[in-house]
Amino acid sequence: MSGSTASEDLRRRLIELESVAAESPAAIEIVRSPGRVNLIGEYTDVNEGFVLPAAIDREIRIALVPSRDRRVVLHRLDTGETGSFELESLPSRAGGWLDYAVGTAWALAAAGVNLRGIRGAISTNLPPGAGLSSSAAIELAIARALIEPGAQSIEGLELARICQRAENLFVGVQSGLMDQFAVACGRAGSALLLDCRSLEWRSVPLPEEFRLVVCDTGSPRELAGSEYNVRRRQCEAAVAALARDDPGIHSLRDVTPEVLAGAESSGRLDPLLARRARHVVSENGRVLAAVAALEADDIPAVADAFAESHASLRDQFEVSSPALDAMVEIATSTPGVEAARMTGAGFGGCTINLVRSDAVDRLAARVERDYPGRTGLSPRVFPVTAADGAGFVA
Ligand code: GLA
């Protein structure tokens, strides 16, 4: 469905659902908010390192009308559910999808941002639970929808940080800044290099002769929440151990491969913590190597960085899964697939692939042929395009 068709449908549904929209259809506004893939740099955002995500053309849309009251009413068209809350007395966390909207309102209010009541209808073509950041997409969509226009202008990075607080402090997931940043700051045709320590970032144009292809393993990411927090604690424990020798070490960003090897061989760092730290320290190097390779059009070097990243996530950080490994193996043995790795937090979810344009169908056919037999799971393969970050549709 084209963007304008999606917006027209959504507008029509809002008019059916809400009389205030029917009374003043000219007041309807449309917000779009993309999902994201991460090209490389996994678990580095929570360790003050580098990431290279891109917003994608799979997205959440909200059609809305501002209301005169202080009430937010949201109709989810994909499930038929409706949720609502009062801006003046926000409900506490309830464990459902509405938490993302309430949490975003809470974080915005805590940041002193003026909010408005709305009536909205939400549609999505972003597969939920696949690791493409549908939660960051809904947070940024809600943020754009609720902010009273005119009075204040909030740029993307700042809004991303507010939405990250919604996720960390309200929803209760200790995630980094990458997802909200990518969703807020995306640039069509480019990936984004973010330094999660200085928060400086820039766009990195993607080669036009290749397609980004997402392969969804179709496997649940049940462990993603609990194991994610375990990995964070292990990284913190590694930093604490290394800081005993060098108080200048505040995060894994301060650690070189040499320092790490020294601490490991002398037994000052527990072997498990050393493996976790080795992934993060080496991954930072791979992000910068991949950016240099993309800018030099050196696709084999991009492929090496992707392959080493996947192996490190599988063997050192231990967040891959048999399904993700099978998907990467099938992709890398397909002619025309130049680079492949798991993307996001792992434990299921998706892989990201850099594919020659004429090999996209071949990859889809190979996955369809080989993956279900190897895993017992149903895959989905879809090309994506790097897209602009969340905002209003003109
Ligand atoms: C999830 C988190 C991100 C990041 C990735 C792993 O997507 O939300 O902050 O840590 O996992 O790279």
Side-chain angles (χ1 to χ4, degrees):
M1 202 190 304
S2 79
S4 58
T5 322
S7 291
E8 270 323 304
D9 275 1
L10 197 52
R11 197 184 292 270
R12 207 166 29 245
R13 292 301 308 279
L14 182 65
I15 289 172
E16 286 164 16
L17 288 161
E18 288 286 347
S19 55
V20 18
E23 284 153 21
S24 46
I28 297 178
E29 302 167 21
I30 308 271
V31 178
R32 52 163 288 283
S33 186
R36 69 98 187 87
V37 289
N38 187 19
L39 269 73
I40 192 163
E42 232 56 270
Y43 288 89
T44 42
D45 63 346
V46 286
N47 289 292
E48 297 194 334
F50 299 102
V51 290
L52 187 68
I56 57 174
D57 57 346
R58 291 283 185 132
E59 62 191 22
I60 285 172
R61 281 183 186 234
I62 304 181
L64 65 105
V65 276
S67 61
R68 271 189 219 98
D69 55 18
R70 304 287 294 152
R71 193 166 175 73
V72 174
V73 180
L74 298 167
H75 304 279
R76 254 184 93 157
L77 301 185
D78 59 339
T79 61
E81 292 164 282
T82 295
S84 64
F85 56 92
E86 296 288 340
L87 288 171
E88 300 312 331
S89 54
L90 293 173
S92 41
R93 182 166 64 142
W97 63 274
L98 198 63
D99 285 351
Y100 294 97
V102 178
T104 301
W106 169 81
L108 285 164
V113 180
N114 293 334
L115 303 180
R116 59 181 181 173
I118 60 165
R119 302 291 180 271
I122 307 176
S123 71
T124 179
N125 63 6
L126 192 56
L132 299 175
S133 291
S134 56
S135 54
I138 188 75
E139 288 157 6
L140 266 301
I142 293 289
R144 287 291 177 210
L146 292 185
I147 295 174
E148 187 72 69
Q152 53 229 316
S153 100
I154 304 185
E155 50 94 23
L157 186 62
E158 193 185 342
L159 203 55
R161 296 181 74 189
I162 293 172
C163 290
Q164 186 198 5
R165 283 201 282 281
E167 182 108 21
N168 292 170
L169 302 175
F170 192 89
V171 180
V173 180
Q174 300 310 311
S175 49
L177 183 59
M178 172 171 74
D179 302 346
Q180 288 80 9
F181 159 73
V183 170
C185 298
R187 290 276 181 279
S190 291
L192 314 171
L193 172 64
L194 172 67
D195 177 338
C196 298
R197 169 167 271 180
S198 69
L199 298 187
E200 279 168 22
W201 66 276
R202 66 184 175 87
S203 48
V204 177
L206 291 167
E208 279 169 18
E209 63 280 27
F210 295 93
R211 299 298 309 271
L212 286 179
V213 180
V214 169
C215 296
D216 183 350
T217 60
S219 59
R221 295 167 59 249
E222 273 147 18
L223 282 172
S226 55
E227 286 295 316
Y228 186 92
N229 291 341
V230 170
R231 292 302 179 284
R232 281 207 71 168
R233 284 200 297 276
Q234 290 168 337
C235 291
E236 283 158 16
V239 171
L242 292 163
R244 264 182 240 126
D245 290 338
D246 178 354
I249 292 176
H250 300 291
S251 78
L252 289 177
R253 176 69 175 275
D254 299 315
V255 178
T256 61
E258 295 72 30
V259 165
L260 192 57
E264 214 186 331
S265 60
S266 67
R268 280 169 295 149
L269 191 59
D270 166 88
L272 176 75
L273 299 185
R275 285 212 303 282
R276 303 299 189 243
R278 202 178 314 127
H279 163 71
V280 173
V281 171
S282 60
E283 185 83 346
N284 278 327
R286 285 187 289 270
V287 175
L288 299 180
V291 169
L294 282 168
E295 289 178 338
D297 227 359
D298 182 354
I299 302 305
V302 177
D304 289 345
F306 272 41
E308 286 161 21
S309 170
H310 187 83
S312 175
L313 287 158
R314 183 189 59 212
D315 304 332
Q316 311 289 328
F317 216 65
E318 296 180 279
V319 295
S320 187
S321 68
L324 285 164
D325 295 344
M327 195 65 99
V328 166
E329 282 163 32
I330 293 165
T332 45
S333 66
T334 303
V337 176
E338 302 297 330
R341 55 177 292 280
M342 58 159 272
T343 185
F347 305 105
C350 296
T351 67
I352 181 68
N353 304 267
L354 195 59
V355 183
R356 290 196 179 279
S357 302
D358 61 4
V360 174
D361 291 344
R362 188 183 307 133
L363 171 61
R366 288 278 177 105
V367 169
E368 212 42 67
R369 188 191 71 190
D370 297 342
Y371 180 82
R374 275 183 71 169
T375 61
L377 296 164
S378 306
R380 262 180 311 182
V381 176
F382 47 93
V384 294
T385 313
D388 284 329
F392 286 93
V393 177

